[in-house]
Amino acid sequence: MDKIVVQGGRRLEGRVAASGAKNAALPLIFATILTDKPCRLTSVPEVADIRTACRLLEMLGAKVERPAAGELIIDCSSVSEFEAPYDLVRTMRASFLTLGPLLARFGRACVSKPGGCAIGSRPIDIHLQGFLTMGARVENVGGYADVAAERLRGAHVILDKPSVGATENIVMAACLADGHTRVENAAREPEVVDLVDALVSMGAKINGAGSSVIEIEGVPALDGFDHRVMPDRIEVGTFLIAGAMTRGDIFVEHGRAEHLGSLIGALEASGSTVRADAKGLGVYTDTRPLAISVKTAPYPGFPTDLQAQLMALMTLANGTSRICETIFENRFMHVSELQRMGASIKLSGNTAEVEGRVTLKGAPVMATDLRASVCLVLAGLAAQDQTEVLRVYHLDRGYENLEGKLASLGARVSREPA
Ligand code: EPZ
């Protein structure tokens, strides 16, 4: 088990390149189940969740080749297993995205229910309700969702919440269903759009991706795809916040302003200067941030996956900020660790009141989930002395070479055995 060691107080400067988006690559990897033709993915991030997803595909009988860094060639022509086991789904909830593709192509899927995780109970009722509406039979057997359908039929599916995973699962299933499917209250995240771009390149007939109504006309079969994963907007946002925390001047290549409008607004409201061009996004900050209030929301609202990172910035702000988490019920696990570094934060329900004007002090802190881990690394960048972030396996699930990228911007950060 490793730890990340950060010597605080260094100003970040320079350019860094974002990797491909983990949360786009995962559904894209599972979309390969929909076809018996080979699929090629490039700009795939080298992170633990991707390795887990590939391992799951191989357990189902797929062939996965890695001809070069960031490239996957996946062939699901020989898939003959339809069960995603508990130990894999437990470690990576996104494994549940195999259900729609397995059901659509083989009429059969038995996927362990993901169970909860550090940030919340993570139910799957919206996914299962969608498949029931499309004519599938769902049985709950020993913690598994056992789903079968001779032939999925197109249907009018209204999601109770704009769930990203449910939208992706149902859209993938609808690609091979009989007839027309209309998904209302669909998630609008860019990762959904990236998945649909690949599905359309396979021959799927889909309209409306990026809006809250997605229409799919089922087709008998799909081709393979050759697709480049979109840049990771959450990684881009994480670096922009890191730059602001150190009153630095950084540029993140591949960042897209249209993917991060709400973060850009928040950074500008807190006194940073953000610049955008065809190559990426930059941030320049030369003062203590101004206090702002933010509420997380489905895209295009402020992303819950940047909530912890923004809170780290607000611990330094000139005043009191309020951060309201509306997506997950337990996504403040980073608060107690930030408090150990001297942050002044009061929790009341799903709102954190962050009293700024403090000086953070380095300390050994514990990572609890992916975004809480990176929040603590960011706090270490701005803190006095040394911060050690333990249990960085959480971080390795979604950030590729974080310490190397931060060091290239001037941070004194290293990975050491814990
Ligand atoms: C995706 O998770 C992301 N993961 C999450 O990123 C992200 O935080 C989340 O979307 C929200 O943007 C991947 O894409 C792999 P949801 P997902 O279904 O699809 C409730 C990270 O750090 N809900 O949009 O699981 C749910 O409890 C991760 O990279 C139901 O009630 O999220 C939550 O409150 C963390 N029933 C809300 O909807 C359901 O059937 C949004 O969840 C499904 C979800």
Side-chain angles (χ1 to χ4, degrees):
M1 201 168 331
D2 291 343
K3 62 185 176 184
I4 297 274
V5 180
V6 188
Q7 297 294 343
R10 300 286 290 263
R11 186 171 179 272
L12 298 191
E13 283 186 303
R15 297 174 78 94
V16 71
S19 301
K22 161 184 86 81
N23 289 350
L26 288 170
L28 285 162
I29 286 171
F30 295 129
T32 63
I33 295 170
L34 289 166
T35 177
D36 59 1
K37 303 292 184 302
C39 297
R40 177 172 179 261
L41 268 176
T42 52
S43 188
V44 180
E46 304 280 347
V47 296
D49 274 6
I50 297 299
R51 292 189 287 274
T52 303
C54 293
R55 204 162 63 245
L56 174 52
L57 273 192
E58 288 169 331
M59 285 177 69
L60 297 175
K63 281 196 285 303
V64 181
E65 292 163 38
R66 298 164 179 78
E71 183 180 345
L72 293 175
I73 307 278
I74 300 173
D75 177 345
C76 289
S77 58
S78 50
V79 164
S80 57
E81 296 296 324
F82 314 121
E83 180 173 319
Y86 175 59
D87 62 333
L88 269 185
V89 181
R90 184 172 56 83
T91 53
M92 188 189 68
R93 187 179 180 287
S95 309
F96 202 71
L97 292 173
T98 52
L99 199 149
L102 284 171
L103 188 57
R105 175 137 171 253
F106 301 105
R108 184 88 174 70
C110 186
V111 180
S112 166
K113 294 189 164 192
C117 70
I119 64 176
S121 60
R122 311 300 295 274
I124 51 165
D125 55 314
I126 301 174
H127 300 243
L128 298 178
Q129 186 52 50
F131 297 131
L132 283 167
T133 308
M134 296 172 75
R137 291 183 310 287
V138 177
E139 279 187 70
N140 296 311
V141 181
Y144 281 69
D146 193 339
V147 193
E150 282 67 51
R151 190 98 174 84
L152 285 177
R153 59 171 187 269
H156 182 190
V157 178
I158 301 175
L159 304 185
D160 290 348
K161 291 180 182 175
S163 156
V164 173
T167 301
E168 292 166 343
N169 234 340
I170 292 163
V171 166
M172 288 193 281
C175 288
L176 295 177
D178 252 347
H180 184 86
T181 298
R182 178 183 171 88
V183 182
E184 290 198 35
N185 199 23
R188 299 169 52 192
E189 272 69 4
E191 292 75 18
V192 174
V193 177
D194 204 40
L195 169 66
V196 169
D197 287 349
L199 292 170
V200 168
S201 75
M202 296 167 82
K205 295 192 178 346
I206 306 173
N207 287 301
S211 80
S212 56
V213 179
I214 300 179
E215 313 251 13
I216 306 105
E217 199 60 48
V219 294
L222 291 170
D223 279 331
F225 63 68
D226 187 337
H227 184 82
R228 181 175 180 78
V229 178
M230 65 173 270
D232 191 325
R233 64 193 174 100
I234 302 303
E235 183 191 21
V236 172
T238 301
F239 280 115
L240 293 177
I241 294 172
M245 287 196 74
T246 61
R247 299 190 198 180
D249 183 3
I250 69 158
F251 189 82
V252 188
E253 289 170 9
H254 313 313
R256 294 182 193 166
E258 67 272 22
H259 288 170
L260 284 167
S262 51
L263 173 70
I264 291 169
L267 287 173
E268 288 175 335
S270 70
S272 289
T273 304
V274 177
R275 60 191 184 283
D277 66 27
K279 290 193 179 326
L281 289 172
V283 64
Y284 171 74
T285 310
D286 59 2
T287 57
R288 179 184 281 272
L290 301 172
I292 59 171
S293 290
V294 157
K295 181 183 274 198
T296 64
Y299 189 87
F302 192 90
T304 176
D305 292 348
L306 286 173
Q307 178 258 105
Q309 298 92 313
L310 184 76
M311 189 181 292
L313 177 63
M314 288 298 110
T315 64
L316 309 173
N318 204 349
T320 302
S321 308
R322 275 173 195 77
I323 297 178
C324 181
E325 172 56 61
T326 68
I327 305 293
F328 291 109
E329 65 266 31
N330 187 36
R331 203 167 198 176
F332 285 144
M333 307 279 278
H334 42 285
V335 169
S336 51
E337 297 305 293
L338 287 171
Q339 288 168 331
R340 294 184 58 246
M341 296 177 72
S344 169
I345 304 170
K346 276 206 287 294
L347 288 182
S348 162
N350 67 347
T351 299
E353 189 173 274
V354 186
E355 184 60 47
R357 285 188 291 272
V358 303
T359 302
L360 296 176
K361 299 259 188 320
V365 287
M366 192 74 75
T368 51
D369 59 270
L370 172 55
R371 307 303 172 180
S373 324
V374 82
C375 147
L376 298 172
V377 173
L378 266 53
L381 293 173
Q384 292 175 340
D385 314 323
Q386 176 172 295
T387 298
E388 294 188 345
V389 182
L390 307 170
R391 294 189 182 171
V392 287
Y393 57 85
H394 290 292
L395 200 77
D396 294 340
R397 292 192 52 181
Y399 286 93
E400 181 179 351
N401 186 22
L402 179 78
E403 65 275 11
K405 291 183 178 183
L406 287 172
S408 74
L409 293 171
R412 275 186 300 176
V413 56
S414 59
R415 175 184 290 261
E416 296 173 16

